[in-house]
Amino acid sequence: SQKIEQNSEALNIQEGKTATLTCNYTNYSPAYLQWYRQDPGRGPVFLLLIRENEKEKRKERLKVTFDTTLKQSLFHITASQPADSATYLCALVGGSYIPTFGRGTSLIVHP
Amino acid sequence: ETGVTQTPRHLVMGMTNKKSLKCEQHLGHNAMYWYKQSAKKPLELMFVYNFKEQTENNSVPSRFSPECPNSSHLFLHLHTLQPEDSALYLCASRSTSGRDTGELFFGEGSRLTVL
């Protein structure tokens, strides 16, 4: 069955450092991979996506990589700030355009 | 108003009650979704509607009954729920026209507690 794995342990980093979150998947060939941010008690907010034929995508301080051979995406936040503290969800999208979500990784940026 | 609006934000109900969750989107999208989010679990897809027609029912128990009267409104009718149904229920919408990338726009969710 399809499986999406995100690190269940919270990632604690110091302000100003680069945060790197991992999304691994099995038994899936996604057309797109999306990343969302979710704050406590709120709905997820779309951040960016990367297509299966793209290796890297950037948006301001965010960078996503996608390795379809390793079946892995890395999500980087450079110059992290306490305001970046949230849960980050990885989602895979196939031909049906219905995202399947991982359980998310909590990021805590300490001042 | 803009975006996706869900009401109520919080709901407490007994197992014998009947209640409804409402979702409204002002984005001109034509697909709407219900997801369930329980603690420590990934978002679980419940239902998908496209142009008011249900296109996905992810083996959801019949005590959850969706209704989509038009492309802007989505309801989730609740009846005879169980305590394990307590969760955050998220509504989302998506545009299927143009360059569809599957991007979802979520509401803030309805936090349901079943006693």
Side-chain angles (χ1 to χ4, degrees), chain B residues 29-41:
Chain B
H29 293 166
N30 48 274
M32 296 188 78
Y33 300 64
W34 280 116
Y35 279 91
K36 174 184 178 183
Q37 188 175 36
S38 305
K40 309 289 185 187
K41 286 187 174 181

Side-chain angles (χ1 to χ4, degrees), chain A residues 45-74:
Chain A
V45 175
F46 175 83
L47 295 175
L48 72 174
L49 69 84
I50 187 164
R51 292 173 171 77
E52 60 177 338
N53 59 354
E54 296 177 317
K55 297 289 186 188
E56 182 179 300
K57 202 77 167 287
R58 290 174 187 260
K59 179 181 175 184
E60 297 171 354
R61 294 185 296 111
L62 308 180
K63 184 177 89 170
V64 172
T65 63
F66 194 10
D67 188 326
T68 54
T69 302
L70 289 179
K71 295 188 184 296
Q72 181 183 76
S73 174
L74 299 178

Side-chain angles (χ1 to χ4, degrees), chain B residues 30-97:
Chain B
N30 48 274
M32 296 188 78
Y33 300 64
W34 280 116
Y35 279 91
K36 174 184 178 183
Q37 188 175 36
S38 305
K40 309 289 185 187
K41 286 187 174 181
L43 273 73
E44 299 173 51
L45 179 69
M46 299 177 74
F47 302 102
V48 180
Y49 279 81
N50 207 342
F51 290 103
K52 303 189 302 177
E53 298 298 319
Q54 188 180 114
T55 55
E56 291 280 336
N57 177 336
N58 201 21
S59 303
V60 180
S62 59
R63 57 186 185 271
F64 294 91
S65 174
E67 179 190 358
C68 188
N70 54 60
S71 292
S72 299
H73 294 85
L74 185 64
F75 295 88
L76 188 62
H77 303 299
L78 315 169
H79 176 49
T80 321
L81 295 192
Q82 305 297 313
E84 59 264 29
D85 296 322
S86 300
L88 182 67
Y89 289 85
L90 290 161
C91 173
S93 70
R94 165 184 142 237
S95 172
T96 62
S97 60

Side-chain angles (χ1 to χ4, degrees), chain A residues 75-105:
Chain A
F75 177 79
H76 306 272
I77 305 176
T78 58
S80 59
Q81 306 164 0
D84 295 325
S85 299
T87 296
Y88 291 86
L89 308 176
C90 162
L92 304 181
V93 183
S96 66
Y97 295 101
I98 299 174
T100 301
F101 288 84
R103 68 180 62 194
T105 298

